[in-house]
Amino acid sequence: MDTNLCHLCEYKCDAATRLTVEELDMLNSSCARVNFKPGEIVVKQNALSTNVVYIKTGLVKMHVTDGTKEKVMKIVKAPSYLCLPSNFSDRVNNFSATALEETSVCFFDLTVFRNFIYTNGDFAYQIITDLSTSELKNSHVLNNNTQKNTMGRIATLLLYFSKEVYSNSTFVLPVRRQELGEIAGTTRESASRILSELHNEKIIDIDGKKIIILNDKLLEQISLNG
Amino acid sequence: MDTNLCHLCEYKCDAATRLTVEELDMLNSSCARVNFKPGEIVVKQNALSTNVVYIKTGLVKMHVTDGTKEKVMKIVKAPSYLCLPSNFSDRVNNFSATALEETSVCFFDLTVFRNFIYTNGDFAYQIITDLSTSELKNSHVLNNNTQKNTMGRIATLLLYFSKEVYSNSTFVLPVRRQELGEIAGTTRESASRILSELHNEKIIDIDGKKIIILNDKLLEQISLNG
DNA sequence: ATATTGGTGTGATATTTATCACATTTTTTT
DNA sequence: AAAAAAATGTGATAAATATCACACCAATAT
């Protein structure tokens, strides 16, 4: 049996569960499935945004560059759409997306997807809910990045990986120190130094990219900032 | 003639122009129109988000507080919806909104509004476009706030007021220095100092809250950051 | 009109963070 | 396995920004 059919997909997003079997078959015939390895580019900034990009499994970072500096806007965990705002506004990708782990992606035809919004109110409503949730998450990122000191931001990031991504107090960082800094809005050196500090204070254990959170309470405290 | 009818409204948003006369009449009967003076609170953080809030004219700031610090997330200029993401996700206002200038607001019943999404694909599509555009704008704010130094952020803000809000190289700041700092993610003192510096370098002229941009090119340059 | 309050500008200083430099470790290539 | 390249940790220093302090001005209340 070919499990590569949209209506049999076990990674359907909330919106897709609102589609009829016929609609899912239409979606299916416009769907290209691609797997990416860590480091591979899924979406390229400034390219035309002609496909809806949906990650079924895996983890990616969304990032922008202005030519010199590289800023990681956010980490996106599957299942999730990657570029809906670009799809529906200026049709140009505002960010690049790079896989941090083995990631499986579906590319859908934008026209097919767009028609569902017109013809299936349930689907449209769910997309609106998704966009809304995503925008609020972004706001928290903004708040996190502008109101906290560097250690608070790194702490928040470690907790995010531990709780949201890996659901484990032990995990392997999917990024190197340089990128950790870019995500937290600081430098490689500062990121490294702060990990050391957290280690010295016995809040985390470090072995290369492997992190063990020893004192969750305290890390939460630091994350909320001081 | 009663011009206080939605279908006669001259400040209709893009989405509302997709509604039929009948739908606009439904909207109208669920609409409460309120005017706010500068400093008055339009929407309160943590209150239930049971209304769609649409600003027809005026200017507001969206802000959050964690109990101690006050962070201005963004300035929103009419015409615009204020809280769609809160309306459609957790139904609790994630931000407060405070009028910066005389602002006229329509409060719509969320249920009526939500029904239009199910029944009018054109309307739904436009809301999705609006949310998308708004999310991308937020991303730029994030980028602006995390990648630029303080002077760059203040310069960006002055250019925003000049170009986006007042369409004039001379304008009256709708906020005091304290708030200018909060928007730019810095302190009152730093904001004040940077205005002085820009003045000393003959890039702007200052008379209290009145600002004249003298060297637009250079201010753009600073905004892009150095 | 005077007193009180809130807003502002600016110096002095402390704190935070970035930058530079380089030794060390880890990973990749040949 | 050896060599080369990339990533990391950490000290020393510089730069940016916040904090504290206080004088001054403007608006508002008494």
Side-chain angles (χ1 to χ4, degrees):
Chain A
M1 193 170 87
D2 185 359
T3 54
N4 251 352
L5 285 172
C6 288
H7 80 268
L8 295 176
C9 180
E10 53 181 320
Y11 301 110
K12 274 201 281 289
C13 68
D14 288 342
T17 62
R18 267 69 176 182
L19 296 175
T20 65
V21 175
E22 291 75 37
E23 286 170 330
L24 284 170
D25 283 345
M26 286 177 63
L27 193 64
N28 186 64
S29 49
S30 88
C31 173
R33 297 174 185 82
V34 186
N35 290 320
F36 293 90
K37 292 193 193 313
E40 290 185 340
I41 295 173
V42 179
V43 170
K44 196 127 180 55
Q45 183 185 350
N46 296 329
L48 285 179
S49 180
T50 52
N51 289 290
V52 172
V53 185
Y54 176 70
I55 52 171
K56 276 193 295 191
T57 62
L59 193 71
V60 305
K61 65 169 180 179
M62 308 295 295
H63 48 114
V64 270
T65 180
D66 61 350
T68 47
K69 274 182 194 169
E70 180 81 18
K71 168 69 189 169
V72 176
M73 305 298 285
K74 56 178 168 179
I75 305 290
V76 181
K77 176 186 66 152
S80 174
Y81 291 103
L82 277 195
C83 315
L84 287 186
S86 295
N87 288 144
F88 288 107
S89 60
D90 51 7
R91 312 286 167 80
V92 170
N93 291 323
N94 285 258
F95 312 112
S96 293
T98 300
L100 294 178
E101 299 184 341
E102 191 78 30
T103 298
S104 71
V105 180
C106 297
F107 293 93
F108 299 112
D109 184 77
L110 182 52
T111 312
V112 171
F113 197 88
R114 195 188 301 141
N115 278 340
F116 294 155
I117 292 168
Y118 283 97
T119 56
N120 185 330
D122 253 349
F123 181 79
Y125 188 79
Q126 195 58 48
I127 293 295
I128 286 174
T129 304
D130 279 11
L131 281 170
S132 296
T133 306
S134 146
E135 179 160 342
L136 290 180
K137 267 192 202 153
N138 281 349
S139 304
H140 291 145
V141 172
L142 173 60
N143 214 26
N144 195 45
N145 277 276
T146 55
Q147 293 302 94
K148 295 179 184 172
N149 64 19
T150 307
M151 187 178 273
R153 297 199 299 273
I154 295 278
T156 306
L157 202 48
L158 293 177
L159 287 168
Y160 171 75
F161 282 125
S162 167
K163 291 184 200 299
E164 308 289 324
V165 181
Y166 301 111
S167 304
N168 200 318
S169 64
T170 300
F171 60 91
V172 177
L173 274 176
V175 290
R176 51 188 212 272
R177 302 293 189 269
Q178 172 75 37
E179 288 169 296
L180 197 69
E182 283 165 359
I183 302 170
T186 184
T187 58
R188 172 187 70 80
E189 294 92 327
S190 293
S192 176
R193 237 185 282 270
I194 281 167
L195 288 183
S196 297
E197 270 188 77
L198 290 173
H199 178 241
N200 289 341
E201 291 170 30
K202 307 209 187 319
I203 297 168
I204 63 173
D205 228 342
I206 309 177
D207 177 15
K209 287 201 168 64
K210 186 177 154 198
I211 303 281
I212 304 174
I213 294 180
L214 301 173
N215 192 337
D216 189 87
K217 286 271 172 298
L218 196 45
L219 196 59
E220 289 274 9
Q221 202 57 45
I222 293 168
S223 158
L224 287 174
N225 188 11
Chain B
M1 194 168 90
D2 185 0
T3 54
N4 252 353
L5 286 172
C6 289
H7 81 268
L8 296 175
C9 181
E10 53 181 319
Y11 302 110
K12 274 201 280 289
C13 66
D14 288 343
T17 61
R18 267 70 176 182
L19 296 176
T20 65
V21 174
E22 290 75 36
E23 287 170 328
L24 284 170
D25 283 344
M26 286 175 64
L27 193 65
N28 187 65
S29 49
S30 89
C31 171
R33 298 174 184 83
V34 186
N35 291 319
F36 292 90
K37 292 194 193 312
E40 289 184 340
I41 295 172
V42 179
V43 170
K44 197 124 181 54
Q45 184 186 349
N46 295 328
L48 286 178
S49 180
T50 51
N51 289 290
V52 172
V53 184
Y54 177 70
I55 52 170
K56 277 192 296 190
T57 62
L59 192 72
V60 305
K61 65 169 180 178
M62 308 295 294
H63 49 114
V64 269
T65 181
D66 61 350
T68 48
K69 274 183 192 168
E70 180 81 18
K71 167 70 188 170
V72 176
M73 305 299 286
K74 57 178 169 176
I75 303 291
V76 180
K77 176 185 69 152
S80 173
Y81 290 102
L82 277 196
C83 315
L84 286 188
S86 294
N87 288 145
F88 289 108
S89 62
D90 52 6
R91 312 285 169 81
V92 169
N93 292 323
N94 285 258
F95 312 112
S96 293
T98 301
L100 294 177
E101 297 184 341
E102 190 78 29
T103 298
S104 72
V105 180
C106 297
F107 294 92
F108 298 113
D109 183 76
L110 183 52
T111 312
V112 171
F113 197 88
R114 195 188 301 141
N115 277 340
F116 294 155
I117 292 168
Y118 283 97
T119 57
N120 185 330
D122 252 351
F123 180 79
Y125 188 79
Q126 194 59 48
I127 292 293
I128 286 174
T129 305
D130 279 11
L131 280 171
S132 296
T133 306
S134 147
E135 178 160 342
L136 291 180
K137 265 192 204 157
N138 281 349
S139 305
H140 292 144
V141 172
L142 174 59
N143 214 26
N144 194 45
N145 277 274
T146 55
Q147 294 302 92
K148 295 180 185 174
N149 63 19
T150 307
M151 189 178 270
R153 297 200 300 274
I154 295 278
T156 305
L157 201 49
L158 293 178
L159 287 167
Y160 171 76
F161 282 125
S162 167
K163 291 188 200 300
E164 307 290 323
V165 181
Y166 301 111
S167 306
N168 201 317
S169 65
T170 300
F171 60 91
V172 176
L173 275 176
V175 290
R176 51 188 210 272
R177 300 294 189 269
Q178 171 75 35
E179 289 170 295
L180 197 68
E182 282 164 0
I183 302 171
T186 185
T187 57
R188 174 187 70 80
E189 295 92 327
S190 293
S192 175
R193 240 184 279 271
I194 281 166
L195 288 182
S196 297
E197 270 188 78
L198 291 172
H199 179 241
N200 289 342
E201 290 168 32
K202 308 212 189 314
I203 297 168
I204 64 172
D205 228 340
I206 309 175
D207 178 14
K209 289 201 166 66
K210 186 176 156 197
I211 304 281
I212 305 174
I213 294 179
L214 301 172
N215 191 336
D216 190 88
K217 286 270 173 300
L218 196 44
L219 196 59
E220 289 274 9
Q221 202 57 45
I222 293 169
S223 158
L224 287 174
N225 186 13

